[in-house]
Amino acid sequence: MMRYNELFDNYDLLLPRKERGGYLIIALYEKIESKELDYCFSLSDIENVLHEIYLDRKEEFKSEPQWSKIRDVLFNYYLRNVPGEPWKYYLTDHAKSIIELMRAKLENPYKDHLLQKSFQEAFTIRHGEINSGEELERKFGRIFIMGPKGIVLQKIESLEDELRDAYKDLNHILDNDQATATTLVQQFAKVFKTFGEKAEDINRAIISKDKFLSDLKFVKDDFYSRMETTSFQDHILLKKHKLDWEKAELILTDISDFFNEVDNKLRMIRQRIYHANDKLNELKETISARASYKIKLSKLQTFLLQYSRFSKDDNVFSIELPQKHFFNQYRPLPPIKIHELIKSPPDMIIELGPDKIYEEEERKKIQLEVERQEAVNKWKHHFIEELTLGRKLNAENIMNKVLQEGSDLSVAYDVISSLIGSVSERPELTINVEHYLTEIKADENIYLWKTTIQKGNHMNS
């Protein structure tokens, strides 16, 4: 907060008002640039310039500015005494930078420069151009890319200024009551041509930007692939490829953040272009209103010419204009018929008895599922006991034995599944699976991998 307070307290010193020396600094700078004044100028030069400003812009000043009243403001940041010559002065670098900043804003050098061209000149990677992290950093590192970034941002700012001026032109066209409809349409078409050209340039610039970002990602991925294919024994080369990849990652992040800022600015510019359609609707309404007004005016003129006659005293209408008559009569409201609502019968609760057939079917389903689960658990515990006793089992025999006892295929499948799950949790038992199919049930085309389960080291396959 201290920095903001300091700016507030010194605002008039950093940016003096026009009557407090602001116009004087601009005029001195322009005269030095045009060689009318030397780099070092005198007090009389200052007073002459102040007088010229006052004569040229009297309506902006209550009285002629006096050097004695503004010198203390300007001597803080804008003017300095020449050492050894107390009546000689020169402009500070701060004063020159402020004027140049204002001139750059009003005379943007990139106003006629295409945005797509700005991206292509600043952000392009040619084939085989980047072979190391140092080359990538020298061309697109944070420090080296500041200039191209500034060029792109200045071009976007000039686009915003152009669109703002175009909007002013549209409003000025709509406010012109004297222009004909043809002239209005021609002027609108000229302004909308500007909108269309800028929109097309933005689209091409976005394509160019996206291509560069894709190329930069490809360079980063290439550094990573070099790092992956380098032998771990070659520590120096591996370290170099890793450093290249890290530099590329930092550069990609920095440029991606910059492009995100650019995308936000371009999105707002696009919205302004889209909103220009509202002005087109206003033009349609203006032309329509003017046409309607002229038609009514023409009808009135025809009516007056048809039903009037000229006399020495004045024009006289030969007919009486129609008059409106209002009736002041009380009209009572018609009586409102009251309709009685038809009473609906009371709701009745219908009691439904139990569905014996449904209950019996559900009981049977539950009973079958319980018997099935009991059979699965019985078989699982049986085979685990055999394995604990040291027997060697295979999946084919297990399923065939379950099927031979009258159980269906789902029971046999659940038995082998739960058995393998239980064995996997017991370290004293091992499962060995060979990539060889064994037939379980030929009529249903059911096959299993050849799987054996036995006691031994815990080596699941």
Side-chain angles (χ1 to χ4, degrees):
M1 190 62 186
M2 185 181 297
R3 291 179 59 192
Y4 292 113
N5 289 334
E6 186 178 357
L7 289 174
F8 293 150
D9 294 339
N10 294 276
Y11 177 81
D12 289 337
L13 303 179
L14 292 168
L15 296 171
R17 299 190 302 273
K18 58 186 178 182
E19 68 274 8
R20 298 287 290 171
Y23 278 178
L24 174 63
I25 298 302
I26 296 174
L28 290 172
Y29 179 88
E30 294 292 339
K31 287 184 177 294
I32 293 172
E33 286 287 305
S34 62
K35 307 301 181 183
E36 294 182 42
L37 290 179
D38 294 332
Y39 175 78
C40 298
F41 43 87
S42 64
L43 176 60
S44 62
D45 293 329
I46 294 176
E47 291 176 343
N48 290 335
V49 172
L50 282 174
H51 185 63
E52 290 178 8
I53 294 173
Y54 176 70
L55 294 178
D56 187 46
R57 296 180 173 272
K58 276 186 177 181
E59 66 280 359
E60 299 183 32
F61 296 94
K62 296 179 180 179
S63 60
E64 184 171 350
Q66 300 298 317
W67 170 244
S68 58
K69 295 181 180 180
I70 64 177
R71 63 185 300 278
D72 293 336
V73 175
L74 299 181
F75 265 104
N76 283 279
Y77 298 106
Y78 288 88
L79 289 178
R80 292 284 187 274
N81 276 118
V82 177
E85 300 183 48
W87 301 109
K88 285 281 188 177
Y89 309 93
Y90 66 94
L91 289 176
T92 64
D93 291 335
H94 172 71
K96 295 177 182 177
S97 64
I98 292 295
I99 305 302
E100 290 169 359
L101 180 64
M102 290 189 290
R103 289 180 62 179
K105 177 63 179 177
L106 298 175
E107 304 171 4
N108 196 317
Y110 303 99
K111 185 174 183 179
D112 299 325
H113 198 71
L114 293 177
L115 182 61
Q116 179 195 15
K117 187 177 180 181
S118 299
F119 273 106
Q120 289 179 344
E121 291 175 351
F123 301 99
T124 300
I125 299 178
R126 296 174 178 83
H127 179 70
E129 182 181 9
I130 304 298
N131 294 307
S132 66
E134 289 79 7
E135 293 178 354
L136 183 64
E137 190 172 26
R138 279 196 300 270
K139 187 164 186 180
F140 300 109
R142 182 184 293 269
I143 298 175
F144 300 94
I145 208 67
M146 290 303 294
K149 283 182 180 178
I151 291 174
V152 171
L153 292 178
Q154 287 185 41
K155 175 56 188 174
I156 292 176
E157 187 175 1
S158 71
L159 269 177
E160 294 175 340
D161 294 339
E162 287 182 75
L163 293 179
R164 185 194 63 223
D165 294 339
Y167 261 90
K168 290 181 180 179
D169 292 340
L170 291 178
N171 291 327
H172 179 71
I173 293 171
L174 290 172
D175 293 338
N176 188 359
D177 296 332
Q178 305 300 322
T180 62
T182 304
T183 304
L184 290 178
V185 173
Q186 290 175 348
Q187 292 174 347
F188 250 72
K190 183 178 179 181
V191 176
F192 265 84
K193 182 180 178 182
T194 301
F195 281 116
E197 291 173 351
K198 301 310 175 187
E200 186 177 359
D201 184 27
I202 289 172
N203 290 334
R204 291 177 178 175
I206 291 175
I207 294 173
S208 177
K209 170 185 70 68
D210 293 341
K211 182 182 182 303
F212 168 76
L213 203 59
S214 176
D215 293 341
L216 186 58
K217 290 179 180 178
F218 179 80
V219 171
K220 186 198 76 167
D221 294 340
D222 181 55
F223 289 156
Y224 190 83
S225 63
R226 294 182 192 179
M227 184 173 60
E228 280 188 324
T229 55
T230 303
S231 174
F232 286 102
Q233 284 77 19
D234 196 345
H235 299 289
I236 297 177
L237 187 59
L238 183 63
K239 184 177 180 181
K240 179 184 179 301
H241 290 329
K242 182 180 179 182
L243 186 61
D244 290 344
W245 176 80
E246 290 175 348
K247 288 180 180 179
E249 179 72 19
L250 291 175
I251 292 172
L252 178 61
T253 301
D254 175 60
I255 295 181
S256 296
D257 293 340
F258 171 70
F259 282 169
N260 288 333
E261 179 186 356
V262 169
D263 288 337
N264 291 331
K265 291 179 179 292
L266 294 181
R267 184 172 62 253
M268 290 185 285
I269 290 176
R270 275 179 163 178
Q271 290 175 352
R272 291 184 179 180
I273 294 175
Y274 294 152
H275 290 334
N277 291 328
D278 297 337
K279 296 297 179 182
L280 186 59
N281 294 330
E282 291 182 28
L283 175 65
K284 293 178 183 178
E285 294 175 0
T286 300
I287 294 175
S288 177
R290 288 187 184 182
S292 177
Y293 174 75
K294 287 181 179 179
I295 290 173
K296 292 178 179 179
L297 190 62
S298 177
K299 287 182 179 180
L300 179 61
Q301 185 180 14
T302 303
F303 176 80
L304 291 176
L305 290 175
Q306 185 177 359
Y307 295 102
S308 63
R309 58 186 175 83
F310 178 77
S311 66
K312 293 182 179 181
D313 298 330
D314 198 359
N315 293 330
V316 179
F317 286 107
S318 60
I319 65 169
E320 293 183 359
L321 294 176
Q323 297 180 355
K324 291 184 179 180
H325 297 277
F326 297 92
F327 294 94
N328 186 11
Q329 180 180 358
Y330 173 74
R331 299 186 64 185
L333 293 174
I336 301 174
K337 295 182 180 181
I338 300 176
H339 298 274
E340 293 185 359
L341 298 176
I342 300 174
K343 294 182 179 180
S344 58
D347 296 333
M348 298 178 63
I349 299 176
I350 301 175
E351 295 184 0
L352 298 176
D355 190 344
K356 299 294 184 182
I357 298 175
Y358 176 76
E359 289 181 1
E360 189 62 30
E361 289 177 354
E362 293 299 316
R363 283 196 185 97
K364 287 181 180 180
K365 289 180 183 179
I366 295 172
Q367 183 64 31
L368 289 174
E369 182 62 26
V370 170
E371 292 176 355
R372 182 177 171 280
Q373 292 295 335
E374 289 177 350
V376 171
N377 290 331
K378 175 184 173 184
W379 281 112
K380 185 181 74 171
H381 291 305
H382 169 72
F383 290 122
I384 288 178
E385 288 179 0
E386 290 191 356
L387 290 170
T388 305
L389 296 174
R391 291 194 59 185
K392 179 180 179 181
L393 303 177
N394 60 67
E396 178 185 1
N397 293 337
I398 292 172
M399 291 194 70
N400 285 329
K401 187 173 182 180
V402 174
L403 292 172
Q404 288 171 4
E405 292 294 329
S407 299
D408 58 13
L409 183 61
S410 65
V411 173
Y413 178 77
D414 284 351
V415 169
I416 191 65
S417 298
S418 59
L419 181 61
I420 290 176
S422 299
V423 170
S424 299
E425 297 174 356
R426 301 180 66 167
E428 73 275 10
L429 301 177
T430 61
I431 303 173
N432 182 34
V433 180
E434 300 179 13
H435 292 283
Y436 173 74
L437 293 175
T438 58
E439 189 177 52
I440 301 300
K441 208 169 183 181
D443 57 342
E444 295 186 14
N445 292 327
I446 298 175
Y447 298 87
L448 278 179
W449 294 111
K450 187 175 181 181
T451 305
T452 58
I453 307 172
Q454 62 184 351
K455 267 190 175 184
N457 295 329
H458 186 60
M459 295 175 59
N460 294 344
S461 300

